[in-house]
Amino acid sequence: MNFEQLLYTETLAQHNSMQKAADVLHISKSGLSIAISQLENELGVSLFDKSASGTKLTSQGRQLLSSISDILRVKNNLEATATAVADPQKHQRFRIHYMNTMLKPFINTFIKNYSNRFQNVQLDISCHEFDSIVRRVLNQEIDAGFVAINNTHDEAIKGLKFTPVSESKLVLFCSPNNALNELGRPITLEDLKKQKFSIFNDKFHDEIFERLQFQCGPLSLVLRVDDAWAMQTAVIKLNTVCFGRTLQGNLSSNINFSDLKTIDIGHIIDDHFKLGWLTNPNHMLTEEAKGLLEGITAEIKKEMPYG
């Protein structure tokens, strides 16, 4: 058994055709057939059924395919890790997690400076909830998190370093057609009772929603998501309202999100938050990583100097 035979099996399973798989692998159809037969003989099972409709996995083949894919994945990971260990300066991985909304400066800064500074950096960036980000920064599973906090949540990040980037107000986002836009006065708890809510998967938004329900009574919650496009669609199509921070709304990578209307709620709840980087003081960042965080910070401050 060898890795080539396993790769051939996985590729044939994807295409269900000897000829198509052979073309993808840049080998002859007969060479592919021989390699598969040799693997079947060694394993003692029939991996594929051949018929006029194509070459498809047998029930035994389906059971073994996940193990074959796992072996190939481990091989790839081993080779990638070995390459990075052999020359760490040329192969750096930098991991950022953010809350709620992808901000354009996260990616724009990386792309704009890629050719002269970040060619040896692999950037992994994804959306996670606050508690997950805190845990992973604490365990040094990621390099940095971009989070929003207010003074009541300092205990949650104890032992970690929070570097503020911008202050930002918490507001209600709503459709331009929502009746809240026509009030001409500050909204009241009675106004909120008439609204349908969508909520980001965000610990702080949950706490605020629960506090409002304590004041207002039950409120209508129709959707929980962690994607800005899905939230924007729900606000427009379902006429819901959602909590959001002005910086995230204005710098969202989803350009339509910045077109939503904002409603002040500072007279009802504490609407002041700080957004910034959460890092572990025991985790040493590379110079490239520090440069990327500094570049993103500068870009955010340039776009939103007052939060």
Side-chain angles (χ1 to χ4, degrees):
M1 182 191 308
N2 57 51
F3 289 118
E4 279 190 346
Q5 291 170 328
L6 300 180
L7 175 61
Y8 294 173
T9 300
E10 187 180 63
T11 305
L12 181 54
Q14 292 171 351
H15 293 277
N16 296 323
S17 164
M18 278 283 184
Q19 189 59 62
K20 287 182 180 178
D23 291 343
V24 169
L25 294 165
H26 302 291
I27 62 173
S28 67
K29 182 177 175 181
S30 60
L32 174 60
S33 180
I34 291 171
I36 296 296
S37 296
Q38 289 174 341
L39 180 60
E40 289 177 325
N41 290 335
E42 185 172 351
L43 294 176
V45 298
S46 176
L47 296 171
F48 292 93
D49 277 331
K50 299 176 184 177
S51 68
S53 62
T55 304
K56 299 181 180 180
L57 285 168
T58 63
S59 60
Q60 293 174 319
R62 285 193 294 272
Q63 293 178 65
L64 293 177
L65 182 61
S66 62
S67 296
I68 289 172
S69 297
D70 287 343
I71 292 171
L72 292 172
R73 191 176 303 111
V74 170
K75 171 184 177 290
N76 290 338
N77 288 340
L78 174 61
E79 290 175 343
T81 302
T83 301
V85 169
D87 196 347
Q89 291 304 312
K90 287 191 175 181
H91 301 276
Q92 299 181 34
R93 183 183 180 193
F94 186 44
R95 296 155 297 183
I96 296 176
H97 288 179
Y98 63 89
M99 294 171 56
N100 302 148
T101 308
M102 168 76 78
L103 303 186
K104 287 180 282 188
F106 292 165
I107 301 301
N108 287 345
T109 304
F110 179 71
I111 292 174
K112 184 164 57 177
N113 297 285
Y114 179 77
S115 60
N116 60 5
R117 192 161 190 182
F118 303 128
Q119 283 194 34
N120 299 323
V121 176
Q122 172 191 319
L123 177 61
D124 293 357
I125 184 164
S126 57
C127 179
H128 293 266
E129 296 184 40
F130 176 80
D131 288 340
S132 171
I133 294 175
V134 171
R135 184 181 69 253
R136 295 182 188 203
V137 171
L138 187 63
N139 294 335
Q140 300 186 41
E141 296 172 24
I142 61 174
D143 299 286
F146 192 79
V147 300
I149 65 169
N150 61 19
N151 293 333
T152 64
H153 301 102
D154 289 344
E155 190 66 24
I157 59 173
K158 187 176 180 179
L160 299 177
K161 180 182 178 181
F162 179 72
T163 306
V165 172
S166 177
E167 293 189 357
S168 188
K169 289 175 59 178
L170 189 79
V171 296
L172 272 185
F173 285 100
C174 67
S175 163
N177 297 322
N178 192 294
L180 292 178
N181 294 306
E182 308 299 328
L183 292 177
R185 58 170 172 76
I187 65 169
T188 65
L189 296 178
E190 289 299 318
D191 297 323
L192 291 179
K193 288 182 182 180
K194 302 173 184 177
Q195 296 296 315
K196 296 179 294 184
F197 283 78
S198 298
I199 291 185
F200 279 113
N201 288 318
D202 182 317
K203 174 182 179 179
F204 305 145
H205 289 189
D206 287 337
E207 293 175 359
I208 292 166
F209 189 71
E210 290 173 5
R211 198 174 308 139
L212 284 178
Q213 289 197 110
F214 180 78
Q215 296 174 272
C216 299
L219 297 172
S220 175
L221 177 60
V222 300
L223 184 68
R224 291 178 59 89
V225 293
D226 57 7
D227 177 80
W229 173 85
M231 181 62 76
Q232 184 266 346
T233 302
V235 170
I236 295 295
K237 301 293 185 181
L238 300 180
N239 197 28
T240 62
V241 297
C242 74
F243 302 117
R245 301 175 185 95
T246 49
L247 181 143
Q248 291 171 309
N250 287 317
L251 297 185
S252 169
S253 60
N254 184 317
I255 58 174
N256 293 324
F257 201 70
S258 60
D259 293 335
L260 300 178
K261 299 297 183 180
T262 59
I263 305 293
D264 286 335
I265 52 177
H267 57 292
I268 297 177
I269 59 171
D270 180 7
D271 63 346
H272 289 92
F273 278 82
K274 292 181 180 179
L275 289 99
W277 298 110
L278 192 65
T279 54
N280 189 325
N282 298 316
H283 180 64
M284 297 298 294
L285 296 178
T286 65
E287 291 303 312
E288 286 81 1
K290 293 177 183 177
L292 181 57
L293 293 187
E294 291 169 359
I296 295 172
T297 298
E299 189 73 17
I300 290 174
K301 288 184 175 180
K302 182 176 71 175
E303 295 290 337
M304 294 287 292
Y306 305 108

